Amino acid sequence: MASIDPTKAREFAKEIVAKLREKGFQALWAGGCVRDQLLGCEPKDFDVATSATPVQIREVFGKRRTLPIGAAFGVITVLGPRAAGQIEVATFRRDATYSDGRHPDSVAFSNAEEDARRRDFTINGLFYDPLSEEVIDYVGGREDLQQRVVRAIGNPEERLSEDKLRMVRAVRFATTLGFDLDNETMHAVQRHASELSVVSVERITAELRRLLLHSHRRRGVELLRESGLLTQILPELICDENTWRQTLDTLEAVVEPSVAVVMALLLRSLHGEVTGQDSAEQIGRRWKLSNDELDGVRLCLKHEATIRNATTIEWPVLQRVLIVPRIEELLSYCEAVAQVVDGTCHAIRFCRETIARPQEAWNPAPLITGDDLRHLGIPAGPAYRQLLNAVRDAQLNGELTNRESALTFAQARWKAGLAEL
Ligand code: ATP
Ligand code: MG
């Protein structure tokens, strides 16, 4: 997506409200953007709530500038100038009962107050009138923002059990905002945590990703445990206190990690355990990580020992790890582990210094290729890999410095190999 200019997005969100008002509808900014603005941060996006129905919203902005993708739920996307992005305009609604613990059975258009009450947490239930610059608060959200509390709107028991994803959202918001979880809301999560399984893995992991990527991730994972959600999400992690503490320490130590890196830190203590199967791998699949993320997790777990022992391990072994394409992720993972487990990051520093040098110094072009072996008359086969590897090792160790000596070395090795047979 093209980059959005926050000032343009804000202007456009205000323009949408003004236009709906002109046509006689009620319209307000709603939800996360109001919360973020009151907290003094730039909202990521703006949502508008209105008394206009989806059909009326499309009439006001024109079919060409609107997308009806969410129309069945009362949401129309209004397209703005390129730098302003797009804004979701939703009709005020009330949710009917939830019989499956995931979605309301139906939605009915309604008024602003009911629309506030169907939202999850008081801090997410605020409206803002950008024309009069007033906050409209039906749910006590402003006070909870001041107190820095995440509190379910209405009866927490009912609200968290009607849509069980809200349990994870409660912990996610408490983590990312650095807020407390209201006691009753926490108790309701504890009582209903075991019901989380009705929610799809994708919706759960979307919230977990945000929690784990945030710098407060340690507290997030602690809250997941305290709330009982960890037993549902990652029961394998509930282990002895020392391992648990070490996992938390590494999560705290890591700096701006990717999903693969945090997942690897989280799963590190399980690697290779549990009836000999690779449980880290299984969990990654259960969480529906992408193949790319799974590759990253595997890479970290596989090469951790080599990197942490970088200063003592044979150079050709280390060199082959330093050239992996995701070396930065691997080093960021190992740095967190080394800091906590080894109490020093000097091995990681050594790796970083090495790869910062000019390529010729630590990753020179190979002296010979398979073609050269063919020209030497060596029949193609598995021996090629072994020979090229042996040449590479000798090159990296400084024993071979030019093509001729490499060819002589390969031929001698090949003959010696034959002699052994
Ligand atoms: P963020 O900035 O993290 O995206 P947000 O508040 O915008 O926070 P969204 O998930 O984008 O969060 O949802 C937008 C709004 O929709 C929320 O502020 C909340 O009012 C409402 N909402 C979202 N999910 C739920 C839910 N499961 N139950 C009730 N209300 C919800
Ligand atoms: Mg949002």
Side-chain angles (χ1 to χ4, degrees):
M1 207 201 290
S3 66
I4 305 283
D5 173 346
T7 316
K8 296 254 161 57
R10 166 179 291 272
E11 275 168 20
F12 180 50
K14 191 168 164 184
E15 216 179 284
I16 288 184
V17 167
K19 217 159 197 175
L20 286 161
R21 292 282 179 79
E22 255 169 48
K23 303 285 179 189
F25 299 108
Q26 226 188 326
L28 297 162
W29 289 357
C33 63
V34 183
R35 176 198 69 220
D36 290 347
Q37 172 168 280
L38 288 172
L39 287 173
C41 15
E42 188 67 61
K44 280 192 310 296
D45 43 35
F46 292 85
D47 292 312
V48 171
T50 177
S51 59
T53 62
V55 171
Q56 291 168 327
I57 299 169
R58 294 200 83 190
E59 274 166 16
V60 172
F61 297 101
K63 290 227 158 119
R64 285 183 43 231
R65 287 183 55 206
T66 54
L67 300 173
I69 305 164
F73 313 102
V75 184
I76 296 291
T77 303
V78 181
L79 307 173
R82 190 175 306 170
Q86 51 189 42
I87 286 180
E88 295 200 331
V89 180
T91 309
F92 294 139
R93 64 179 225 226
R94 140 175 32 98
D95 292 337
T97 48
Y98 286 69
S99 42
D100 61 359
R102 285 173 292 190
H103 320 96
D105 297 330
S106 62
V107 295
F109 297 144
S110 172
N111 55 39
E113 181 164 354
E114 285 190 323
D115 189 66
R117 296 198 182 282
R118 62 129 187 128
R119 292 170 186 268
D120 46 8
F121 306 108
T122 60
I123 54 169
N124 290 348
L126 292 163
F127 293 117
Y128 179 74
D129 180 342
L131 307 181
S132 68
E133 302 187 350
E134 271 175 309
V135 175
I136 297 135
D137 183 3
Y138 295 108
V139 293
R142 214 167 353 177
E143 186 173 341
D144 284 339
L145 271 183
Q146 254 150 25
Q147 306 286 329
R148 306 180 67 80
V149 180
V150 177
R151 183 195 312 274
I153 294 175
N155 178 337
E157 285 279 331
E158 281 169 23
R159 302 310 311 289
L160 298 188
S161 55
E162 66 187 13
D163 175 356
K164 299 175 202 294
L165 180 71
R166 289 177 190 152
M167 298 193 281
V168 187
R169 284 173 61 83
V171 172
R172 193 264 281 186
F173 283 112
T175 305
T176 56
L177 297 171
F179 280 20
D180 285 331
L181 250 180
D182 153 65
N183 273 337
E184 280 193 44
T185 303
M186 176 56 119
H187 288 148
V189 179
Q190 288 168 335
R191 276 193 293 271
H192 294 278
S194 65
E195 298 156 25
L196 186 67
S197 56
V198 302
V199 179
S200 74
V201 172
E202 288 85 350
R203 289 180 80 209
I204 297 173
T205 54
E207 298 294 338
L208 289 179
R209 279 163 193 269
R210 299 189 63 171
L211 178 153
L212 290 172
L213 292 181
H214 196 276
S215 60
H216 298 161
R217 66 188 76 81
R218 177 193 184 117
R219 177 159 177 267
V221 175
E222 282 173 327
L223 281 175
L224 285 175
R225 178 155 106 156
E226 197 183 321
S227 63
L229 290 168
L230 195 68
T231 314
Q232 302 306 311
I233 295 168
L234 247 174
E236 296 89 341
L237 215 62
I238 296 172
C239 53
D240 68 282
E241 272 313 298
N242 280 342
T243 313
W244 169 248
R245 202 147 301 282
Q246 198 172 71
T247 302
L248 292 177
D249 288 345
T250 59
L251 286 177
E252 189 171 4
V254 71
V255 182
E256 292 189 11
S258 63
V259 170
V261 168
V262 224
M263 283 305 293
L265 289 174
L266 212 47
L267 302 180
R268 165 172 189 274
S269 63
L270 312 173
H271 187 46
E273 279 184 17
V274 186
T275 65
Q277 290 167 353
D278 199 346
S279 54
E281 180 96 18
Q282 285 171 7
I283 292 164
R285 292 198 186 283
R286 196 171 79 214
W287 277 37
K288 303 221 168 108
L289 296 187
S290 68
N291 285 335
D292 182 68
E293 288 165 348
L294 267 176
D295 283 347
V297 173
R298 274 189 218 112
L299 180 89
C300 291
L301 298 176
K302 180 171 170 201
H303 296 303
E304 178 191 317
T306 307
I307 297 290
R308 276 171 61 202
N309 293 309
T311 52
T312 51
I313 211 152
E314 302 101 88
W315 166 239
V317 175
L318 176 63
Q319 196 271 352
R320 285 184 171 82
V321 175
L322 294 181
I323 57 174
V324 300
R326 305 174 79 153
I327 184 66
E328 285 305 330
E329 282 176 280
L330 177 58
L331 291 179
S332 133
Y333 163 88
C334 290
E335 188 160 44
V337 176
Q339 194 174 317
V340 172
V341 183
D342 307 333
T344 167
C345 294
H346 79 272
I348 319 305
R349 257 196 312 279
F350 172 76
C351 294
R352 287 199 201 285
E353 284 164 11
T354 305
I355 60 176
R357 296 170 65 204
Q359 282 267 331
E360 322 76 89
W362 66 279
N363 188 23
L367 294 171
I368 59 169
T369 66
D371 271 352
D372 295 311
L373 299 182
R374 204 151 38 80
H375 286 133
L376 290 175
I378 301 173
Y384 271 40
R385 234 182 91 126
Q386 288 169 17
L387 286 173
L388 291 175
N389 266 333
V391 171
R392 184 67 172 162
D393 282 356
Q395 179 189 10
L396 291 170
N397 281 330
E399 293 151 18
L400 295 175
T401 52
N402 58 52
R403 196 177 135 72
E404 287 64 39
S405 59
L407 290 170
T408 315
F409 176 94
Q411 196 150 35
R413 270 297 170 98
W414 165 246
K415 286 192 177 139
L418 279 183
E420 265 172 33
L421 287 177

PDB file of all heavy atoms in Angstrom, residues 282-310:
ATOM      1  N   GLN A 282       5.911 -28.424  15.452  1.00  0.00           N
ATOM      2  CA  GLN A 282       4.469 -28.707  15.515  1.00  0.00           C
ATOM      3  C   GLN A 282       3.672 -27.486  15.953  1.00  0.00           C
ATOM      4  O   GLN A 282       2.604 -27.206  15.433  1.00  0.00           O
ATOM      5  CB  GLN A 282       4.189 -29.815  16.538  1.00  0.00           C
ATOM      6  CG  GLN A 282       4.550 -31.188  16.066  1.00  0.00           C
ATOM      7  CD  GLN A 282       4.451 -32.194  17.200  1.00  0.00           C
ATOM      8  OE1 GLN A 282       3.987 -31.871  18.295  1.00  0.00           O
ATOM      9  NE2 GLN A 282       4.897 -33.392  16.944  1.00  0.00           N
ATOM     10  N   ILE A 283       4.218 -26.782  16.943  1.00  0.00           N
ATOM     11  CA  ILE A 283       3.505 -25.612  17.454  1.00  0.00           C
ATOM     12  C   ILE A 283       3.448 -24.527  16.385  1.00  0.00           C
ATOM     13  O   ILE A 283       2.405 -23.907  16.164  1.00  0.00           O
ATOM     14  CB  ILE A 283       4.177 -25.097  18.734  1.00  0.00           C
ATOM     15  CG1 ILE A 283       3.975 -26.130  19.840  1.00  0.00           C
ATOM     16  CG2 ILE A 283       3.590 -23.749  19.163  1.00  0.00           C
ATOM     17  CD1 ILE A 283       4.875 -25.950  21.031  1.00  0.00           C
ATOM     18  N   GLY A 284       4.555 -24.336  15.691  1.00  0.00           N
ATOM     19  CA  GLY A 284       4.581 -23.369  14.597  1.00  0.00           C
ATOM     20  C   GLY A 284       3.477 -23.661  13.593  1.00  0.00           C
ATOM     21  O   GLY A 284       2.781 -22.769  13.126  1.00  0.00           O
ATOM     22  N   ARG A 285       3.292 -24.925  13.287  1.00  0.00           N
ATOM     23  CA  ARG A 285       2.240 -25.307  12.328  1.00  0.00           C
ATOM     24  C   ARG A 285       0.862 -25.098  12.929  1.00  0.00           C
ATOM     25  O   ARG A 285      -0.059 -24.655  12.267  1.00  0.00           O
ATOM     26  CB  ARG A 285       2.403 -26.757  11.889  1.00  0.00           C
ATOM     27  CG  ARG A 285       3.633 -26.953  11.071  1.00  0.00           C
ATOM     28  CD  ARG A 285       3.609 -28.246  10.268  1.00  0.00           C
ATOM     29  NE  ARG A 285       4.893 -28.408   9.615  1.00  0.00           N
ATOM     30  CZ  ARG A 285       5.250 -27.743   8.525  1.00  0.00           C
ATOM     31  NH1 ARG A 285       4.390 -26.920   7.942  1.00  0.00           N
ATOM     32  NH2 ARG A 285       6.448 -27.899   8.005  1.00  0.00           N
ATOM     33  N   ARG A 286       0.735 -25.439  14.206  1.00  0.00           N
ATOM     34  CA  ARG A 286      -0.564 -25.255  14.866  1.00  0.00           C
ATOM     35  C   ARG A 286      -0.972 -23.785  14.856  1.00  0.00           C
ATOM     36  O   ARG A 286      -2.124 -23.455  14.707  1.00  0.00           O
ATOM     37  CB  ARG A 286      -0.438 -25.763  16.304  1.00  0.00           C
ATOM     38  CG  ARG A 286      -1.766 -25.993  16.981  1.00  0.00           C
ATOM     39  CD  ARG A 286      -1.557 -26.691  18.310  1.00  0.00           C
ATOM     40  NE  ARG A 286      -1.133 -25.776  19.341  1.00  0.00           N
ATOM     41  CZ  ARG A 286      -0.297 -26.086  20.332  1.00  0.00           C
ATOM     42  NH1 ARG A 286       0.219 -27.299  20.408  1.00  0.00           N
ATOM     43  NH2 ARG A 286       0.025 -25.195  21.237  1.00  0.00           N
ATOM     44  N   TRP A 287       0.022 -22.921  15.005  1.00  0.00           N
ATOM     45  CA  TRP A 287      -0.251 -21.479  14.988  1.00  0.00           C
ATOM     46  C   TRP A 287      -0.423 -20.936  13.577  1.00  0.00           C
ATOM     47  O   TRP A 287      -0.577 -19.757  13.377  1.00  0.00           O
ATOM     48  CB  TRP A 287       0.908 -20.737  15.659  1.00  0.00           C
ATOM     49  CG  TRP A 287       0.828 -20.690  17.136  1.00  0.00           C
ATOM     50  CD1 TRP A 287       0.387 -21.664  17.968  1.00  0.00           C
ATOM     51  CD2 TRP A 287       1.213 -19.585  17.971  1.00  0.00           C
ATOM     52  NE1 TRP A 287       0.492 -21.253  19.268  1.00  0.00           N
ATOM     53  CE2 TRP A 287       0.993 -19.981  19.289  1.00  0.00           C
ATOM     54  CE3 TRP A 287       1.735 -18.315  17.715  1.00  0.00           C
ATOM     55  CZ2 TRP A 287       1.264 -19.151  20.372  1.00  0.00           C
ATOM     56  CZ3 TRP A 287       2.009 -17.487  18.787  1.00  0.00           C
ATOM     57  CH2 TRP A 287       1.763 -17.909  20.101  1.00  0.00           C
ATOM     58  N   LYS A 288      -0.301 -21.805  12.596  1.00  0.00           N
ATOM     59  CA  LYS A 288      -0.398 -21.412  11.189  1.00  0.00           C
ATOM     60  C   LYS A 288       0.579 -20.298  10.838  1.00  0.00           C
ATOM     61  O   LYS A 288       0.222 -19.314  10.180  1.00  0.00           O
ATOM     62  CB  LYS A 288      -1.836 -21.006  10.836  1.00  0.00           C
ATOM     63  CG  LYS A 288      -2.849 -22.100  11.117  1.00  0.00           C
ATOM     64  CD  LYS A 288      -3.889 -22.210  10.016  1.00  0.00           C
ATOM     65  CE  LYS A 288      -4.705 -23.465  10.135  1.00  0.00           C
ATOM     66  NZ  LYS A 288      -6.046 -23.322  10.546  1.00  0.00           N
ATOM     67  N   LEU A 289       1.799 -20.447  11.299  1.00  0.00           N
ATOM     68  CA  LEU A 289       2.828 -19.502  10.868  1.00  0.00           C
ATOM     69  C   LEU A 289       3.031 -19.709   9.365  1.00  0.00           C
ATOM     70  O   LEU A 289       2.805 -20.801   8.853  1.00  0.00           O
ATOM     71  CB  LEU A 289       4.145 -19.781  11.593  1.00  0.00           C
ATOM     72  CG  LEU A 289       4.155 -19.603  13.102  1.00  0.00           C
ATOM     73  CD1 LEU A 289       5.572 -19.760  13.640  1.00  0.00           C
ATOM     74  CD2 LEU A 289       3.603 -18.239  13.503  1.00  0.00           C
ATOM     75  N   SER A 290       3.475 -18.660   8.668  1.00  0.00           N
ATOM     76  CA  SER A 290       3.735 -18.808   7.237  1.00  0.00           C
ATOM     77  C   SER A 290       4.994 -19.672   7.071  1.00  0.00           C
ATOM     78  O   SER A 290       5.782 -19.822   8.012  1.00  0.00           O
ATOM     79  CB  SER A 290       3.952 -17.445   6.597  1.00  0.00           C
ATOM     80  OG  SER A 290       5.166 -16.902   7.074  1.00  0.00           O
ATOM     81  N   ASN A 291       5.193 -20.196   5.857  1.00  0.00           N
ATOM     82  CA  ASN A 291       6.390 -21.007   5.626  1.00  0.00           C
ATOM     83  C   ASN A 291       7.644 -20.196   5.879  1.00  0.00           C
ATOM     84  O   ASN A 291       8.627 -20.699   6.421  1.00  0.00           O
ATOM     85  CB  ASN A 291       6.403 -21.532   4.189  1.00  0.00           C
ATOM     86  CG  ASN A 291       5.410 -22.671   4.040  1.00  0.00           C
ATOM     87  OD1 ASN A 291       5.077 -23.347   5.017  1.00  0.00           O
ATOM     88  ND2 ASN A 291       4.912 -22.861   2.834  1.00  0.00           N
ATOM     89  N   ASP A 292       7.571 -18.927   5.493  1.00  0.00           N
ATOM     90  CA  ASP A 292       8.722 -18.058   5.685  1.00  0.00           C
ATOM     91  C   ASP A 292       9.036 -17.900   7.182  1.00  0.00           C
ATOM     92  O   ASP A 292      10.190 -17.949   7.600  1.00  0.00           O
ATOM     93  CB  ASP A 292       8.383 -16.703   5.050  1.00  0.00           C
ATOM     94  CG  ASP A 292       9.530 -15.740   5.145  1.00  0.00           C
ATOM     95  OD1 ASP A 292      10.541 -16.012   4.474  1.00  0.00           O
ATOM     96  OD2 ASP A 292       9.419 -14.744   5.886  1.00  0.00           O
ATOM     97  N   GLU A 293       7.993 -17.717   7.978  1.00  0.00           N
ATOM     98  CA  GLU A 293       8.202 -17.583   9.424  1.00  0.00           C
ATOM     99  C   GLU A 293       8.735 -18.884  10.018  1.00  0.00           C
ATOM    100  O   GLU A 293       9.656 -18.875  10.838  1.00  0.00           O
ATOM    101  CB  GLU A 293       6.897 -17.175  10.113  1.00  0.00           C
ATOM    102  CG  GLU A 293       6.507 -15.739   9.820  1.00  0.00           C
ATOM    103  CD  GLU A 293       5.054 -15.419  10.182  1.00  0.00           C
ATOM    104  OE1 GLU A 293       4.261 -16.342  10.448  1.00  0.00           O
ATOM    105  OE2 GLU A 293       4.721 -14.215  10.169  1.00  0.00           O
ATOM    106  N   LEU A 294       8.157 -20.000   9.573  1.00  0.00           N
ATOM    107  CA  LEU A 294       8.632 -21.292  10.067  1.00  0.00           C
ATOM    108  C   LEU A 294      10.104 -21.520   9.713  1.00  0.00           C
ATOM    109  O   LEU A 294      10.879 -22.001  10.543  1.00  0.00           O
ATOM    110  CB  LEU A 294       7.804 -22.424   9.456  1.00  0.00           C
ATOM    111  CG  LEU A 294       6.610 -22.903  10.265  1.00  0.00           C
ATOM    112  CD1 LEU A 294       5.844 -23.962   9.481  1.00  0.00           C
ATOM    113  CD2 LEU A 294       7.060 -23.480  11.607  1.00  0.00           C
ATOM    114  N   ASP A 295      10.479 -21.116   8.496  1.00  0.00           N
ATOM    115  CA  ASP A 295      11.885 -21.236   8.093  1.00  0.00           C
ATOM    116  C   ASP A 295      12.765 -20.441   9.043  1.00  0.00           C
ATOM    117  O   ASP A 295      13.829 -20.900   9.447  1.00  0.00           O
ATOM    118  CB  ASP A 295      12.100 -20.667   6.672  1.00  0.00           C
ATOM    119  CG  ASP A 295      11.613 -21.628   5.607  1.00  0.00           C
ATOM    120  OD1 ASP A 295      11.340 -22.795   5.940  1.00  0.00           O
ATOM    121  OD2 ASP A 295      11.500 -21.188   4.443  1.00  0.00           O
ATOM    122  N   GLY A 296      12.306 -19.240   9.390  1.00  0.00           N
ATOM    123  CA  GLY A 296      13.071 -18.385  10.296  1.00  0.00           C
ATOM    124  C   GLY A 296      13.220 -19.026  11.673  1.00  0.00           C
ATOM    125  O   GLY A 296      14.293 -18.985  12.283  1.00  0.00           O
ATOM    126  N   VAL A 297      12.151 -19.620  12.170  1.00  0.00           N
ATOM    127  CA  VAL A 297      12.192 -20.278  13.486  1.00  0.00           C
ATOM    128  C   VAL A 297      13.205 -21.424  13.451  1.00  0.00           C
ATOM    129  O   VAL A 297      14.066 -21.550  14.321  1.00  0.00           O
ATOM    130  CB  VAL A 297      10.795 -20.818  13.884  1.00  0.00           C
ATOM    131  CG1 VAL A 297      10.873 -21.647  15.162  1.00  0.00           C
ATOM    132  CG2 VAL A 297       9.799 -19.678  14.044  1.00  0.00           C
ATOM    133  N   ARG A 298      13.100 -22.238  12.400  1.00  0.00           N
ATOM    134  CA  ARG A 298      14.011 -23.384  12.262  1.00  0.00           C
ATOM    135  C   ARG A 298      15.459 -22.933  12.222  1.00  0.00           C
ATOM    136  O   ARG A 298      16.324 -23.501  12.879  1.00  0.00           O
ATOM    137  CB  ARG A 298      13.726 -24.117  10.945  1.00  0.00           C
ATOM    138  CG  ARG A 298      12.644 -25.138  11.079  1.00  0.00           C
ATOM    139  CD  ARG A 298      12.575 -25.957   9.789  1.00  0.00           C
ATOM    140  NE  ARG A 298      11.191 -26.230   9.501  1.00  0.00           N
ATOM    141  CZ  ARG A 298      10.498 -25.746   8.484  1.00  0.00           C
ATOM    142  NH1 ARG A 298      11.077 -24.961   7.597  1.00  0.00           N
ATOM    143  NH2 ARG A 298       9.236 -26.033   8.338  1.00  0.00           N
ATOM    144  N   LEU A 299      15.690 -21.884  11.448  1.00  0.00           N
ATOM    145  CA  LEU A 299      17.048 -21.366  11.289  1.00  0.00           C
ATOM    146  C   LEU A 299      17.630 -20.969  12.648  1.00  0.00           C
ATOM    147  O   LEU A 299      18.765 -21.318  12.990  1.00  0.00           O
ATOM    148  CB  LEU A 299      16.996 -20.149  10.359  1.00  0.00           C
ATOM    149  CG  LEU A 299      18.316 -19.473  10.083  1.00  0.00           C
ATOM    150  CD1 LEU A 299      18.968 -20.136   8.877  1.00  0.00           C
ATOM    151  CD2 LEU A 299      18.131 -17.988   9.819  1.00  0.00           C
ATOM    152  N   CYS A 300      16.854 -20.243  13.437  1.00  0.00           N
ATOM    153  CA  CYS A 300      17.343 -19.783  14.744  1.00  0.00           C
ATOM    154  C   CYS A 300      17.673 -20.976  15.629  1.00  0.00           C
ATOM    155  O   CYS A 300      18.741 -21.039  16.239  1.00  0.00           O
ATOM    156  CB  CYS A 300      16.297 -18.916  15.440  1.00  0.00           C
ATOM    157  SG  CYS A 300      16.045 -17.324  14.628  1.00  0.00           S
ATOM    158  N   LEU A 301      16.746 -21.927  15.707  1.00  0.00           N
ATOM    159  CA  LEU A 301      16.945 -23.053  16.613  1.00  0.00           C
ATOM    160  C   LEU A 301      18.127 -23.914  16.163  1.00  0.00           C
ATOM    161  O   LEU A 301      18.912 -24.398  16.974  1.00  0.00           O
ATOM    162  CB  LEU A 301      15.665 -23.891  16.711  1.00  0.00           C
ATOM    163  CG  LEU A 301      14.443 -23.144  17.280  1.00  0.00           C
ATOM    164  CD1 LEU A 301      13.204 -24.028  17.251  1.00  0.00           C
ATOM    165  CD2 LEU A 301      14.700 -22.649  18.701  1.00  0.00           C
ATOM    166  N   LYS A 302      18.268 -24.048  14.846  1.00  0.00           N
ATOM    167  CA  LYS A 302      19.315 -24.916  14.322  1.00  0.00           C
ATOM    168  C   LYS A 302      20.721 -24.340  14.549  1.00  0.00           C
ATOM    169  O   LYS A 302      21.646 -25.081  14.858  1.00  0.00           O
ATOM    170  CB  LYS A 302      19.067 -25.117  12.824  1.00  0.00           C
ATOM    171  CG  LYS A 302      20.060 -25.999  12.140  1.00  0.00           C
ATOM    172  CD  LYS A 302      19.610 -26.313  10.727  1.00  0.00           C
ATOM    173  CE  LYS A 302      20.733 -27.000   9.967  1.00  0.00           C
ATOM    174  NZ  LYS A 302      20.534 -26.867   8.521  1.00  0.00           N
ATOM    175  N   HIS A 303      20.858 -23.032  14.359  1.00  0.00           N
ATOM    176  CA  HIS A 303      22.210 -22.459  14.368  1.00  0.00           C
ATOM    177  C   HIS A 303      22.585 -21.738  15.655  1.00  0.00           C
ATOM    178  O   HIS A 303      23.640 -21.131  15.725  1.00  0.00           O
ATOM    179  CB  HIS A 303      22.383 -21.514  13.179  1.00  0.00           C
ATOM    180  CG  HIS A 303      22.284 -22.206  11.854  1.00  0.00           C
ATOM    181  ND1 HIS A 303      23.104 -23.255  11.516  1.00  0.00           N
ATOM    182  CD2 HIS A 303      21.457 -22.009  10.803  1.00  0.00           C
ATOM    183  CE1 HIS A 303      22.781 -23.666  10.297  1.00  0.00           C
ATOM    184  NE2 HIS A 303      21.789 -22.937   9.842  1.00  0.00           N
ATOM    185  N   GLU A 304      21.710 -21.796  16.637  1.00  0.00           N
ATOM    186  CA  GLU A 304      22.000 -21.081  17.891  1.00  0.00           C
ATOM    187  C   GLU A 304      23.376 -21.448  18.459  1.00  0.00           C
ATOM    188  O   GLU A 304      24.184 -20.572  18.791  1.00  0.00           O
ATOM    189  CB  GLU A 304      20.902 -21.385  18.925  1.00  0.00           C
ATOM    190  CG  GLU A 304      21.176 -20.723  20.250  1.00  0.00           C
ATOM    191  CD  GLU A 304      20.249 -21.218  21.364  1.00  0.00           C
ATOM    192  OE1 GLU A 304      19.038 -21.375  21.124  1.00  0.00           O
ATOM    193  OE2 GLU A 304      20.766 -21.441  22.478  1.00  0.00           O
ATOM    194  N   ALA A 305      23.655 -22.753  18.550  1.00  0.00           N
ATOM    195  CA  ALA A 305      24.899 -23.180  19.203  1.00  0.00           C
ATOM    196  C   ALA A 305      26.123 -22.666  18.447  1.00  0.00           C
ATOM    197  O   ALA A 305      27.087 -22.185  19.053  1.00  0.00           O
ATOM    198  CB  ALA A 305      24.925 -24.700  19.309  1.00  0.00           C
ATOM    199  N   THR A 306      26.078 -22.755  17.113  1.00  0.00           N
ATOM    200  CA  THR A 306      27.227 -22.291  16.317  1.00  0.00           C
ATOM    201  C   THR A 306      27.506 -20.815  16.579  1.00  0.00           C
ATOM    202  O   THR A 306      28.657 -20.413  16.783  1.00  0.00           O
ATOM    203  CB  THR A 306      26.932 -22.505  14.810  1.00  0.00           C
ATOM    204  OG1 THR A 306      26.566 -23.856  14.629  1.00  0.00           O
ATOM    205  CG2 THR A 306      28.118 -22.154  13.962  1.00  0.00           C
ATOM    206  N   ILE A 307      26.444 -20.012  16.571  1.00  0.00           N
ATOM    207  CA  ILE A 307      26.653 -18.564  16.753  1.00  0.00           C
ATOM    208  C   ILE A 307      27.127 -18.256  18.173  1.00  0.00           C
ATOM    209  O   ILE A 307      28.041 -17.457  18.376  1.00  0.00           O
ATOM    210  CB  ILE A 307      25.349 -17.795  16.427  1.00  0.00           C
ATOM    211  CG1 ILE A 307      24.961 -17.983  14.959  1.00  0.00           C
ATOM    212  CG2 ILE A 307      25.492 -16.315  16.782  1.00  0.00           C
ATOM    213  CD1 ILE A 307      25.864 -17.310  13.961  1.00  0.00           C
ATOM    214  N   ARG A 308      26.524 -18.901  19.143  1.00  0.00           N
ATOM    215  CA  ARG A 308      26.933 -18.596  20.530  1.00  0.00           C
ATOM    216  C   ARG A 308      28.372 -19.037  20.802  1.00  0.00           C
ATOM    217  O   ARG A 308      29.015 -18.548  21.719  1.00  0.00           O
ATOM    218  CB  ARG A 308      25.966 -19.230  21.531  1.00  0.00           C
ATOM    219  CG  ARG A 308      24.743 -18.344  21.747  1.00  0.00           C
ATOM    220  CD  ARG A 308      23.690 -19.045  22.561  1.00  0.00           C
ATOM    221  NE  ARG A 308      24.144 -19.422  23.889  1.00  0.00           N
ATOM    222  CZ  ARG A 308      23.578 -20.387  24.609  1.00  0.00           C
ATOM    223  NH1 ARG A 308      22.553 -21.060  24.122  1.00  0.00           N
ATOM    224  NH2 ARG A 308      24.032 -20.656  25.810  1.00  0.00           N
ATOM    225  N   ASN A 309      28.858 -20.003  19.991  1.00  0.00           N
ATOM    226  CA  ASN A 309      30.245 -20.453  20.157  1.00  0.00           C
ATOM    227  C   ASN A 309      31.142 -19.905  19.057  1.00  0.00           C
ATOM    228  O   ASN A 309      32.187 -20.487  18.755  1.00  0.00           O
ATOM    229  CB  ASN A 309      30.285 -21.987  20.145  1.00  0.00           C
ATOM    230  CG  ASN A 309      29.585 -22.544  21.366  1.00  0.00           C
ATOM    231  OD1 ASN A 309      29.881 -22.139  22.478  1.00  0.00           O
ATOM    232  ND2 ASN A 309      28.621 -23.432  21.151  1.00  0.00           N
ATOM    233  N   ALA A 310      30.740 -18.805  18.481  1.00  0.00           N
ATOM    234  CA  ALA A 310      31.425 -18.287  17.292  1.00  0.00           C
ATOM    235  C   ALA A 310      32.927 -18.119  17.472  1.00  0.00           C
ATOM    236  O   ALA A 310      33.681 -18.319  16.526  1.00  0.00           O
ATOM    237  CB  ALA A 310      30.799 -16.959  16.870  1.00  0.00           C
TER     238      ALA A 310
END
